[in-house]
Amino acid sequence: KGFSDTIDLLAERWGSAGVERIAALESRGFIFGCALAYKLGVGTALLRKPGKLPSETIHVEYSLEYGTDRIEMHTDAVTPGMKVLVVDDLLATGGTAGAAIRLLNQRDAHIIGCAFVIELAFLNGRQALGDVTVDSLITYG
């Protein structure tokens, strides 16, 4: 019940935004992003850790508190101008979601927003996302 209510609420908030593709972040973002894509009747672009996608990819590296990481996406996952919603389970420092935005910008996607189930506001992750619309269902401090 909680999962279906979460997807329904995300769909209610983003259903009229013209979403054409959900960019789901590995790995828990896949759970919410794929279900939301199904609900909205759109496709999904999977943003994954290095070496896990089978076809040609583009990538971006980003900083973590303890080093660097990288995410990849198929080169044909989005097309220029496509309206994309970034979806993940948690917004903390914004490092991964910020990298997702940079990765999607490489393909000239039109990022209409970022949707999270939970936000840890005290970590100021929204600042890492620039002027993109950010929506969280639950916010802690």
Side-chain angles (χ1 to χ4, degrees):
K1 176 81 172 118
F3 180 72
S4 63
D5 286 350
T6 298
I7 299 305
D8 289 346
L9 188 53
L10 288 169
E12 178 182 308
R13 291 183 177 196
W14 291 98
S16 63
V19 176
E20 296 177 295
R21 182 84 70 219
I22 299 292
L25 292 161
E26 185 167 350
S27 68
R28 291 177 305 266
F30 293 175
I31 297 166
F32 297 101
C34 291
L36 180 58
Y38 174 76
K39 181 87 174 182
L40 296 178
V42 301
T44 307
L46 301 178
L47 280 57
R48 301 210 63 188
K49 300 219 182 269
K52 295 187 176 185
L53 293 169
S55 190
E56 185 179 347
T57 62
I58 58 173
H59 70 274
V60 66
E61 291 190 11
Y62 61 102
S63 297
L64 300 167
E65 301 79 37
Y66 49 85
T68 61
D69 207 345
R70 185 168 117 173
I71 56 171
E72 298 180 340
M73 173 180 74
H74 281 135
T75 56
D76 62 354
V78 299
T79 57
M82 183 175 276
K83 295 178 181 176
V84 179
L85 176 65
V86 176
V87 175
D88 204 359
D89 66 320
L90 179 70
L91 174 59
T93 64
T96 306
I101 290 168
R102 290 194 314 278
L103 184 61
L104 292 161
N105 283 336
Q106 287 184 30
R107 302 299 298 154
D108 295 319
H110 174 67
I111 301 162
I112 61 171
C114 295
F116 302 96
V117 177
I118 298 169
E119 177 180 359
L120 304 178
F122 57 90
L123 294 176
N124 301 312
R126 285 177 184 248
Q127 282 76 12
L129 306 184
D131 62 354
V132 173
T133 300
V134 177
D135 182 40
S136 302
L137 301 182
I138 301 168
T139 303
Y140 292 102

